[in-house]
Amino acid sequence: MLDDLVGAPCLQFDAVDICQTDNGPTIDVDGATATLLVGPHATNCESTLVSNVAHEAVHLHLTDGKQGDASGLEEGFAVHFELSAVERHYGAGERQRHIDHLPATYLTALRDYEHLLTLEFNPAKLVRQRHGALSGVSRRDLRRLFPGVSWWMSYRLARRRRMRSG
C-alpha cells in the first residue's frame, strides 16, 4: 500500500520483531533488519497496536538509513496513514479517539498535511517524486510545489524535530 502512496522504499529491511517498550513507538534498525517498537499501551488496545505499526511502517518505508528526526511533512503523512488504517479497521469514531489523544506536535503535523491534501491529491508522492524524500525538503521547495501554503506552515512541514519527549 505504501508503494502505491509514495513509491518504492528507499532501502529494504526485514522486519524481524514487534516489541513493546515505554519508549515506543519507534523503530530500531540494525543493518538490514528492523524491529518495530510499539508504545506501552499498544498491547492493551488493538487499534493502538495497528496505529503504532502503521505509523512506524511509514518511517521504515521512507528511511534512508540515517538517524535523525523526521520532518513535519513525514510525520504528518505518517499520522494521516495510521489514522486511515485505524478508520478502515475500526471506524470513524475510533479514528477520532486517536486524534483526541495525539500530542500537540503530531496534531499540528497532521493538520498541516491535511491542508496539503486540499491542494494536491497525493502531496507525499509529489514531494517524493520531485525531491526523493519527505524529510530534508526545504520550506522554499515546499512553497514552490504548494504555492497556497503559508511561510509558517512550510517551515513547520520542512522542520526536523523531536516530536515527543521521552
Side-chain angles (χ1 to χ4, degrees), residues 5 8 15 20 26-28 39 42 48 51 56 62-63 68 86 97 119-120 123 133 138 141 145-146 150:
L5 290 173
Q20 186 176 13
T26 190
I27 49 177
D28 181 30
T48 301
S51 166
E56 296 309 321
L62 295 173
T63 188
V86 167
R97 188 183 74 75
L119 304 172
E120 172 67 35
S138 75
D141 290 333
L145 286 174
F146 310 106
S150 71

Side-chain angles (χ1 to χ4, degrees), residues 84-111:
S84 296
V86 167
E87 184 171 5
R88 188 170 38 258
H89 294 289
Y90 306 100
E94 191 64 11
R95 180 185 194 278
Q96 187 59 51
R97 188 183 74 75
H98 280 262
I99 290 171
D100 293 343
H101 289 91
L102 283 174
T105 51
Y106 286 97
L107 187 58
T108 298
L110 172 64
R111 296 293 184 233

